[in-house]
């Protein structure tokens, strides 16, 4: 018997949704604005093409914020 790929995906904590399904969930079920759902899709696609990019962006932004706070405190 061939293993069902969707069962393996669920075990691995992964799901597969297309853009319209994501929009339905975010906009119509969770109340997001369509522009926010589109932004989410762009970020998800970027992470798919370049794994780890979101983590790197978050780390850079966090460092920038703390540098700004530190600089204000030293004034």
């Amino acid at each position: 018997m061939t293993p069902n790929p969707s069962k393996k995906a669920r075990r691995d904590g992964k799901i597969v949704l297309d853009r319209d399904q994501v929009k339905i969930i975010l906009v119509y079920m969770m109340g997001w604005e369509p522009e926010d759902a589109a932004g989410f899709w762009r970020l998800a696609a970027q992470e798919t093409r370049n794994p780890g990019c979101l983590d790197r962006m978050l780390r850079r932004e966090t460092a920038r914020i703390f540098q700004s706070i530190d600089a204000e405190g030293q004034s």
Side-chain angles (χ1 to χ4, degrees):
M1 182 171 174
T2 305
N4 185 334
S6 64
K7 286 185 180 178
K8 182 184 183 314
R10 283 189 294 246
R11 281 194 312 271
D12 293 344
K14 298 175 186 176
I15 58 170
V16 177
L17 299 171
D18 65 28
R19 187 178 192 143
D20 290 334
Q21 292 168 318
V22 169
K23 183 177 181 179
I24 288 168
I25 292 169
L26 295 178
V27 176
Y28 301 107
M29 301 186 96
M30 296 183 67
W32 287 30
E33 294 297 325
E35 297 81 15
D36 295 332
F40 173 87
W41 185 262
R42 281 191 299 276
L43 290 170
Q46 186 176 353
E47 180 67 20
T48 300
R49 288 188 304 273
N50 183 7
C53 70
L54 296 179
D55 186 50
R56 292 188 296 274
M57 281 192 294
L58 180 60
R59 289 175 188 268
R60 280 193 305 267
E61 188 64 17
T62 301
R64 185 188 66 77
I65 290 168
F66 280 116
Q67 288 172 352
S68 174
I69 291 170
D70 189 42
E72 288 175 9
Q74 293 179 5
S75 300

Coordinates of all heavy atoms in Angstrom, one line a residue:
M1 N 0.8 -1.2 0.0 CA 0.0 0.0 0.0 C 0.9 1.2 0.0 O 1.8 1.4 0.8 CB -0.9 0.0 1.2 CG -1.8 1.1 1.3 SD -3.0 0.8 2.7 CE -3.8 2.3 2.7
T2 N 0.6 2.2 -0.9 CA 1.4 3.4 -1.0 C 0.9 4.4 0.1 O -0.3 4.6 0.3 CB 1.1 4.1 -2.3 OG1 1.4 3.2 -3.4 CG2 2.0 5.3 -2.5
P3 N 1.9 5.0 0.9 CA 1.5 5.9 1.9 C 0.8 7.1 1.3 O 1.1 7.6 0.2 CB 2.8 6.3 2.5 CG 3.9 5.4 2.0 CD 3.3 4.8 0.8
N4 N -0.2 7.6 2.1 CA -0.9 8.8 1.6 C -0.1 10.1 1.9 O 0.2 10.3 3.1 CB -2.3 8.9 2.4 CG -3.1 10.0 1.9 OD1 -2.7 11.0 1.4 ND2 -4.4 9.8 2.1
P5 N 0.3 10.9 0.9 CA 1.1 12.0 1.2 C 0.5 13.1 2.1 O 1.2 13.7 2.8 CB 1.4 12.6 -0.2 CG 0.8 11.7 -1.2 CD 0.0 10.7 -0.5
S6 N -0.8 13.2 2.0 CA -1.5 14.2 2.9 C -1.4 13.8 4.4 O -1.3 14.6 5.3 CB -2.9 14.4 2.5 OG -3.7 13.2 2.7
K7 N -1.4 12.5 4.7 CA -1.2 12.0 6.1 C 0.2 12.3 6.5 O 0.4 12.7 7.7 CB -1.5 10.5 6.2 CG -3.0 10.2 6.1 CD -3.3 8.7 6.3 CE -4.8 8.5 6.3 NZ -5.1 7.1 6.4
K8 N 1.2 12.1 5.7 CA 2.6 12.4 6.0 C 2.7 13.9 6.3 O 3.4 14.3 7.2 CB 3.5 11.9 4.9 CG 5.0 12.2 5.3 CD 5.9 11.8 4.2 CE 7.4 12.0 4.5 NZ 7.7 13.2 5.2
A9 N 2.1 14.7 5.4 CA 2.2 16.1 5.6 C 1.6 16.5 7.0 O 2.2 17.4 7.7 CB 1.5 16.9 4.5
R10 N 0.5 16.0 7.3 CA -0.1 16.3 8.6 C 0.8 15.9 9.8 O 1.0 16.6 10.8 CB -1.5 15.6 8.8 CG -2.5 16.4 8.0 CD -3.9 15.8 8.4 NE -4.0 14.4 7.9 CZ -4.8 14.0 7.0 NH1 -5.6 14.9 6.4 NH2 -4.8 12.8 6.6
R11 N 1.4 14.7 9.7 CA 2.4 14.3 10.7 C 3.6 15.2 10.8 O 4.1 15.4 11.9 CB 2.9 12.8 10.4 CG 1.9 11.8 10.7 CD 2.6 10.4 10.7 NE 3.4 10.1 9.6 CZ 3.0 9.6 8.5 NH1 1.7 9.2 8.3 NH2 3.8 9.3 7.5
D12 N 4.0 15.7 9.7 CA 5.2 16.6 9.7 C 4.8 18.0 10.1 O 5.7 18.9 10.1 CB 5.8 16.6 8.3 CG 6.4 15.3 7.9 OD1 6.7 14.5 8.8 OD2 6.7 15.1 6.7
G13 N 3.5 18.3 10.3 CA 3.1 19.6 10.7 C 3.0 20.6 9.5 O 3.1 21.8 9.7
K14 N 2.8 20.0 8.3 CA 2.7 20.8 7.1 C 1.3 20.7 6.5 O 0.7 19.6 6.6 CB 3.8 20.4 6.1 CG 5.2 20.6 6.7 CD 6.2 20.1 5.7 CE 7.6 20.1 6.3 NZ 8.6 19.5 5.4
I15 N 0.9 21.7 5.9 CA -0.4 21.6 5.1 C -0.1 22.3 3.8 O 0.9 23.1 3.6 CB -1.5 22.3 5.8 CG1 -1.2 23.8 6.1 CG2 -1.9 21.6 7.1 CD1 -2.4 24.6 6.6
V16 N -0.9 22.1 2.8 CA -0.8 22.7 1.5 C -2.1 23.4 1.2 O -3.2 22.8 1.2 CB -0.5 21.6 0.4 CG1 -0.4 22.3 -0.9 CG2 0.8 20.9 0.7
L17 N -2.0 24.7 1.0 CA -3.2 25.5 0.6 C -2.8 26.4 -0.6 O -1.7 26.8 -0.7 CB -3.6 26.4 1.8 CG -4.0 25.8 3.1 CD1 -4.2 26.8 4.2 CD2 -5.3 25.0 2.9
D18 N -3.8 26.6 -1.4 CA -3.5 27.5 -2.5 C -3.9 29.0 -2.1 O -4.4 29.2 -1.0 CB -4.2 27.1 -3.8 CG -5.7 27.2 -3.7 OD1 -6.3 28.0 -3.0 OD2 -6.4 26.4 -4.5
R19 N -3.6 29.9 -2.9 CA -3.8 31.3 -2.6 C -5.2 31.6 -2.2 O -5.5 32.4 -1.3 CB -3.3 32.2 -3.7 CG -3.3 33.7 -3.4 CD -2.7 34.5 -4.6 NE -2.5 35.8 -4.2 CZ -1.5 36.5 -4.6 NH1 -0.6 36.1 -5.4 NH2 -1.3 37.7 -4.1
D20 N -6.2 31.1 -3.0 CA -7.6 31.4 -2.7 C -8.0 30.8 -1.4 O -8.8 31.4 -0.6 CB -8.5 30.8 -3.8 CG -8.3 31.6 -5.1 OD1 -8.0 32.8 -5.1 OD2 -8.5 31.0 -6.2
Q21 N -7.5 29.6 -1.0 CA -7.8 29.0 0.3 C -7.3 29.9 1.4 O -8.0 30.1 2.4 CB -7.3 27.6 0.4 CG -8.0 26.7 -0.6 CD -7.3 25.3 -0.7 OE1 -6.1 25.3 -0.8 NE2 -8.1 24.2 -0.7
V22 N -6.1 30.4 1.3 CA -5.5 31.2 2.3 C -6.3 32.5 2.4 O -6.6 32.9 3.5 CB -4.0 31.6 1.9 CG1 -3.5 32.7 2.8 CG2 -3.1 30.3 2.0
K23 N -6.7 33.1 1.3 CA -7.5 34.3 1.4 C -8.8 34.1 2.1 O -9.3 34.9 2.9 CB -7.8 34.8 0.0 CG -8.5 36.1 -0.1 CD -8.7 36.7 -1.5 CE -9.4 38.0 -1.4 NZ -9.6 38.5 -2.8
I24 N -9.5 33.0 1.8 CA -10.8 32.6 2.4 C -10.6 32.5 3.9 O -11.4 33.1 4.7 CB -11.4 31.3 1.8 CG1 -11.9 31.6 0.4 CG2 -12.5 30.8 2.7 CD1 -12.2 30.3 -0.3
I25 N -9.6 31.9 4.3 CA -9.3 31.7 5.8 C -9.0 33.1 6.4 O -9.7 33.4 7.4 CB -8.2 30.7 6.0 CG1 -8.6 29.3 5.7 CG2 -7.7 30.8 7.5 CD1 -7.4 28.3 5.6
L26 N -8.1 33.8 5.9 CA -7.7 35.0 6.5 C -8.7 36.2 6.4 O -8.9 36.9 7.4 CB -6.3 35.5 5.9 CG -5.1 34.6 6.1 CD1 -3.9 35.2 5.4 CD2 -4.9 34.4 7.6
V27 N -9.3 36.3 5.3 CA -10.2 37.4 5.1 C -11.6 37.1 5.6 O -12.2 37.8 6.4 CB -10.3 37.9 3.6 CG1 -11.3 39.0 3.4 CG2 -8.9 38.4 3.1
Y28 N -12.2 36.0 5.1 CA -13.6 35.7 5.4 C -13.8 35.0 6.7 O -14.9 35.1 7.3 CB -14.2 35.0 4.2 CG -14.1 35.7 2.9 CD1 -13.2 35.4 2.0 CD2 -14.8 36.9 2.7 CE1 -13.1 36.1 0.8 CE2 -14.7 37.6 1.6 CZ -13.8 37.2 0.6 OH -13.7 38.0 -0.5
M29 N -12.8 34.3 7.2 CA -13.0 33.6 8.4 C -12.4 34.2 9.6 O -12.8 34.1 10.8 CB -12.6 32.1 8.3 CG -13.3 31.4 7.2 SD -12.9 29.7 7.0 CE -14.3 29.0 8.0
M30 N -11.3 35.0 9.4 CA -10.5 35.6 10.5 C -10.7 37.1 10.5 O -10.2 37.8 11.4 CB -9.1 35.2 10.4 CG -8.9 33.7 10.6 SD -7.2 33.2 10.7 CE -6.6 34.0 12.2
G31 N -11.3 37.7 9.4 CA -11.5 39.1 9.4 C -10.4 40.0 9.0 O -10.4 41.2 9.3
W32 N -9.4 39.4 8.4 CA -8.2 40.3 7.9 C -8.7 41.1 6.8 O -9.6 40.8 6.1 CB -7.1 39.4 7.5 CG -6.3 38.7 8.5 CD1 -6.7 38.3 9.8 CD2 -4.9 38.3 8.5 NE1 -5.7 37.7 10.4 CE2 -4.6 37.7 9.7 CE3 -4.0 38.4 7.5 CZ2 -3.3 37.2 9.9 CZ3 -2.7 37.9 7.7 CH2 -2.4 37.3 8.9
E33 N -8.0 42.2 6.5 CA -8.2 43.0 5.3 C -7.6 42.3 4.2 O -6.5 41.6 4.3 CB -7.6 44.4 5.5 CG -8.2 45.2 6.6 CD -9.7 45.6 6.2 OE1 -10.0 45.7 5.1 OE2 -10.5 45.6 7.2
P34 N -8.2 42.4 3.0 CA -7.6 41.7 1.8 C -6.1 42.1 1.5 O -5.3 41.2 1.1 CB -8.5 42.2 0.6 CG -9.8 42.5 1.3 CD -9.4 43.0 2.7
E35 N -5.8 43.3 1.8 CA -4.4 43.8 1.6 C -3.4 43.1 2.6 O -2.3 42.7 2.2 CB -4.3 45.3 1.8 CG -5.0 46.1 0.8 CD -6.5 46.2 1.2 OE1 -6.9 45.9 2.4 OE2 -7.3 46.6 0.3
D36 N -3.9 42.8 3.8 CA -3.1 42.1 4.8 C -2.9 40.6 4.4 O -1.8 40.1 4.5 CB -3.7 42.2 6.2 CG -3.7 43.6 6.7 OD1 -2.8 44.4 6.3 OD2 -4.6 43.9 7.5
A37 N -4.0 40.0 3.8 CA -3.9 38.7 3.3 C -2.9 38.6 2.2 O -2.1 37.6 2.1 CB -5.2 38.1 3.0
A38 N -2.9 39.6 1.3 CA -2.0 39.6 0.1 C -0.6 39.7 0.6 O 0.3 39.1 0.1 CB -2.4 40.7 -0.8
G39 N -0.4 40.6 1.6 CA 1.0 40.7 2.2 C 1.5 39.4 2.8 O 2.6 39.0 2.7
F40 N 0.6 38.7 3.5 CA 0.9 37.4 4.1 C 1.3 36.5 3.0 O 2.3 35.8 3.1 CB -0.3 36.8 4.9 CG -0.1 35.4 5.3 CD1 0.5 35.2 6.5 CD2 -0.5 34.4 4.5 CE1 0.7 33.9 7.0 CE2 -0.3 33.1 4.9 CZ 0.3 32.8 6.2
W41 N 0.6 36.4 1.9 CA 0.9 35.5 0.8 C 2.3 35.9 0.2 O 3.1 35.0 -0.1 CB -0.2 35.6 -0.3 CG 0.1 34.6 -1.4 CD1 0.7 34.8 -2.6 CD2 -0.2 33.2 -1.3 NE1 0.8 33.7 -3.3 CE2 0.3 32.6 -2.5 CE3 -0.8 32.4 -0.4 CZ2 0.1 31.3 -2.8 CZ3 -0.9 31.0 -0.7 CH2 -0.5 30.5 -1.9
R42 N 2.6 37.2 0.1 CA 3.9 37.6 -0.5 C 5.0 37.1 0.5 O 6.0 36.6 0.0 CB 4.0 39.1 -0.7 CG 3.3 39.6 -1.9 CD 3.6 41.0 -2.2 NE 3.2 41.9 -1.2 CZ 2.0 42.4 -1.0 NH1 1.0 42.1 -1.9 NH2 1.7 43.2 0.0
L43 N 4.8 37.3 1.8 CA 5.9 36.8 2.7 C 6.0 35.3 2.7 O 7.1 34.8 2.8 CB 5.5 37.3 4.1 CG 5.7 38.8 4.3 CD1 5.1 39.2 5.7 CD2 7.1 39.2 4.2
A44 N 4.9 34.6 2.7 CA 5.0 33.1 2.6 C 5.7 32.7 1.4 O 6.5 31.7 1.4 CB 3.6 32.5 2.7
A45 N 5.4 33.3 0.2 CA 6.0 32.9 -1.0 C 7.5 33.2 -1.0 O 8.4 32.4 -1.4 CB 5.4 33.7 -2.2
Q46 N 7.9 34.3 -0.4 CA 9.3 34.7 -0.2 C 10.0 33.7 0.6 O 11.1 33.3 0.3 CB 9.4 36.1 0.4 CG 10.8 36.7 0.4 CD 10.8 38.1 1.0 OE1 9.8 38.7 1.2 NE2 12.0 38.6 1.2
E47 N 9.4 33.3 1.7 CA 10.0 32.3 2.6 C 10.2 30.9 1.9 O 11.2 30.2 2.1 CB 9.2 32.1 3.9 CG 9.8 31.1 4.8 CD 11.1 31.5 5.5 OE1 11.4 32.7 5.5 OE2 11.8 30.6 6.0
T48 N 9.2 30.6 1.0 CA 9.3 29.4 0.2 C 10.5 29.4 -0.7 O 11.2 28.4 -0.9 CB 8.0 29.1 -0.5 OG1 6.9 29.0 0.4 CG2 8.1 27.8 -1.3
R49 N 10.7 30.5 -1.4 CA 11.8 30.7 -2.3 C 13.2 30.8 -1.7 O 14.2 30.4 -2.2 CB 11.6 31.9 -3.2 CG 10.5 31.7 -4.2 CD 10.4 32.9 -5.2 NE 10.3 34.2 -4.6 CZ 9.1 34.7 -4.3 NH1 8.0 34.1 -4.5 NH2 9.1 35.9 -3.7
N50 N 13.2 31.4 -0.5 CA 14.4 31.7 0.2 C 14.3 31.3 1.7 O 14.1 32.2 2.5 CB 14.8 33.2 0.0 CG 16.1 33.5 0.7 OD1 16.8 32.7 1.1 ND2 16.4 34.8 0.7
P51 N 14.3 30.0 2.0 CA 14.1 29.6 3.4 C 14.9 30.3 4.4 O 16.1 30.5 4.2 CB 14.4 28.1 3.4 CG 14.2 27.7 1.9 CD 14.6 28.9 1.1
G52 N 14.3 30.7 5.5 CA 15.0 31.4 6.6 C 15.0 32.9 6.4 O 15.5 33.6 7.3
C53 N 14.5 33.4 5.3 CA 14.6 34.9 5.1 C 13.8 35.7 6.1 O 14.2 36.8 6.5 CB 14.2 35.3 3.6 SG 12.5 35.0 3.2
L54 N 12.6 35.1 6.5 CA 11.8 35.9 7.4 C 12.5 35.9 8.8 O 12.4 37.0 9.4 CB 10.4 35.2 7.6 CG 9.6 35.2 6.3 CD1 8.2 34.5 6.6 CD2 9.3 36.6 5.8
D55 N 13.1 34.9 9.2 CA 13.8 34.9 10.5 C 15.0 35.9 10.4 O 15.2 36.7 11.3 CB 14.4 33.5 10.8 CG 15.0 33.4 12.1 OD1 14.4 33.9 13.1 OD2 16.2 32.9 12.2
R56 N 15.7 35.9 9.3 CA 16.8 36.9 9.1 C 16.3 38.3 9.2 O 16.8 39.2 9.8 CB 17.6 36.6 7.9 CG 18.4 35.3 7.9 CD 19.3 35.2 6.7 NE 18.6 35.0 5.5 CZ 18.1 33.9 5.0 NH1 18.3 32.8 5.6 NH2 17.5 33.9 3.8
M57 N 15.1 38.6 8.5 CA 14.5 39.9 8.5 C 14.1 40.3 9.9 O 14.4 41.5 10.3 CB 13.3 40.0 7.6 CG 13.7 40.1 6.1 SD 12.2 40.6 5.1 CE 11.2 39.1 5.2
L58 N 13.5 39.4 10.6 CA 13.1 39.7 12.0 C 14.3 40.0 12.9 O 14.2 41.0 13.7 CB 12.3 38.5 12.5 CG 11.8 38.7 14.0 CD1 10.8 39.9 14.1 CD2 11.1 37.4 14.4
R59 N 15.3 39.2 12.7 CA 16.5 39.5 13.5 C 17.1 40.9 13.2 O 17.5 41.6 14.1 CB 17.6 38.4 13.3 CG 17.2 37.1 13.9 CD 18.2 36.0 13.5 NE 17.8 34.7 13.9 CZ 18.1 34.1 15.1 NH1 18.9 34.8 16.0 NH2 17.7 32.9 15.4
R60 N 17.2 41.2 11.9 CA 17.8 42.5 11.6 C 16.9 43.7 12.1 O 17.4 44.6 12.7 CB 17.9 42.7 10.0 CG 19.1 42.0 9.4 CD 19.3 42.4 8.0 NE 18.1 42.2 7.1 CZ 17.9 41.1 6.4 NH1 18.7 40.1 6.4 NH2 16.8 41.0 5.7
E61 N 15.6 43.5 12.0 CA 14.7 44.6 12.5 C 14.7 44.7 14.0 O 14.8 45.8 14.5 CB 13.3 44.3 12.0 CG 12.3 45.4 12.3 CD 12.6 46.6 11.5 OE1 13.3 46.7 10.6 OE2 12.0 47.7 12.0
T62 N 14.8 43.6 14.7 CA 14.9 43.6 16.1 C 16.2 44.3 16.6 O 16.2 45.1 17.5 CB 14.8 42.2 16.7 OG1 13.6 41.6 16.3 CG2 14.9 42.2 18.2
A63 N 17.3 44.0 15.9 CA 18.6 44.6 16.2 C 18.5 46.1 16.0 O 19.0 46.9 16.8 CB 19.7 43.9 15.4
R64 N 17.9 46.5 14.9 CA 17.8 47.9 14.5 C 17.0 48.6 15.6 O 17.4 49.7 16.0 CB 17.1 48.1 13.1 CG 17.1 49.5 12.7 CD 16.3 49.6 11.4 NE 14.9 49.4 11.6 CZ 14.0 50.2 12.2 NH1 14.4 51.4 12.6 NH2 12.7 49.9 12.3
I65 N 15.9 48.0 16.0 CA 15.1 48.7 17.0 C 15.8 48.8 18.4 O 15.8 49.9 19.0 CB 13.8 47.9 17.3 CG1 12.9 48.0 16.0 CG2 13.0 48.3 18.5 CD1 11.7 47.1 16.0
F66 N 16.5 47.8 18.8 CA 17.3 47.9 20.0 C 18.4 48.9 19.9 O 18.8 49.6 20.9 CB 17.8 46.5 20.5 CG 16.7 45.7 21.2 CD1 16.2 44.5 20.6 CD2 16.1 46.1 22.4 CE1 15.2 43.8 21.2 CE2 15.1 45.4 23.0 CZ 14.7 44.2 22.4
Q67 N 19.1 49.0 18.8 CA 20.1 50.0 18.6 C 19.5 51.4 18.7 O 20.1 52.3 19.3 CB 20.8 49.8 17.2 CG 21.7 48.6 17.2 CD 22.2 48.3 15.7 OE1 21.8 49.0 14.8 NE2 23.1 47.3 15.6
S68 N 18.3 51.6 18.2 CA 17.7 52.9 18.2 C 17.3 53.2 19.7 O 17.6 54.3 20.1 CB 16.4 52.8 17.4 OG 15.7 54.0 17.5
I69 N 16.8 52.2 20.4 CA 16.5 52.5 21.8 C 17.7 52.7 22.6 O 17.8 53.6 23.5 CB 15.7 51.2 22.4 CG1 14.3 51.1 21.8 CG2 15.6 51.3 23.9 CD1 13.6 49.8 22.1
D70 N 18.8 52.0 22.4 CA 20.1 52.2 23.1 C 20.6 53.6 22.8 O 21.1 54.3 23.7 CB 21.1 51.1 22.7 CG 22.3 51.2 23.5 OD1 22.2 51.3 24.8 OD2 23.4 51.0 22.9
A71 N 20.5 54.0 21.5 CA 21.0 55.3 21.1 C 20.2 56.4 21.8 O 20.8 57.4 22.3 CB 21.0 55.5 19.6
E72 N 18.9 56.3 22.0 CA 18.1 57.3 22.6 C 18.4 57.3 24.1 O 18.4 58.4 24.7 CB 16.6 56.9 22.4 CG 16.1 57.2 21.1 CD 14.7 56.7 20.9 OE1 14.0 56.4 21.9 OE2 14.2 56.7 19.7
G73 N 18.7 56.2 24.7 CA 19.1 56.2 26.1 C 20.4 56.8 26.4 O 20.6 57.3 27.5
Q74 N 21.3 56.8 25.5 CA 22.6 57.4 25.7 C 22.7 58.9 25.4 O 23.6 59.5 25.6 CB 23.6 56.7 24.8 CG 23.8 55.3 25.2 CD 24.9 54.5 24.3 OE1 25.5 55.1 23.4 NE2 25.0 53.3 24.5
S75 N 21.5 59.5 24.9 CA 21.5 60.9 24.5 C 21.5 61.7 25.8 O 21.0 61.5 26.8 CB 20.3 61.2 23.7 OG 20.3 60.4 22.5

